[in-house]
Amino acid sequence: MNHLVPALMLAVCILSAGRVSAQTQKALTLNELIGIALESSSQVLAARDQSKVIKGQLSSARAIPNPEFELNTGQQKSVSGSLTTGNVSSWSVTQPLVCPIPAILV
């Protein structure tokens, strides 16, 4: 019982000190609280970063891709002897297809 009284007095002092310091702080408006929450929330910051990444992907997806040119040359050799040997070459031009962007991302 003797140990309970000092612990109770200590708890009362801590609570009253907290109440005094809380009264000296400036009251924040709802908009200020929302601003603090948006600037300090790691989930909100991650969502902002993700949004920037998606915007970058959208702008690159809207760009018209350049055609690709390819030229290959080489030697053809016969292992069995029945095929013709000599120089071979090939060339190609490809144009990537532009896929429409889903309406959800726009």
Side-chain angles (χ1 to χ4, degrees), residues 88-102:
V88 293
S89 64
S90 69
W91 61 272
S92 66
V93 178
T94 56
Q95 175 69 45
L97 296 176
V98 178
C99 298
I101 299 171

Side-chain angles (χ1 to χ4, degrees), residues 26-40:
K26 174 189 158 199
L28 298 174
T29 65
L30 181 60
N31 287 336
E32 290 172 334
L33 291 172
I34 291 172
I36 291 170
L38 290 177
E39 294 300 321
S40 62

Side-chain angles (χ1 to χ4, degrees), residues 20-88:
V20 170
S21 66
Q23 290 174 354
T24 60
Q25 291 180 353
K26 174 189 158 199
L28 298 174
T29 65
L30 181 60
N31 287 336
E32 290 172 334
L33 291 172
I34 291 172
I36 291 170
L38 290 177
E39 294 300 321
S40 62
S41 172
S42 59
Q43 291 175 340
V44 171
L45 296 175
R48 281 184 190 167
D49 292 342
Q50 213 171 21
S51 173
K52 289 177 185 176
V53 168
I54 290 172
K55 286 179 184 176
Q57 289 173 344
L58 283 175
S59 65
S60 65
R62 287 185 178 122
I64 298 172
N66 292 328
E68 297 176 7
F69 299 94
E70 185 176 323
L71 176 64
N72 293 314
T73 60
Q75 292 285 323
Q76 176 177 327
K77 296 181 181 179
S78 173
V79 176
S80 65
S82 63
L83 294 176
T84 308
T85 60
N87 294 333
V88 293

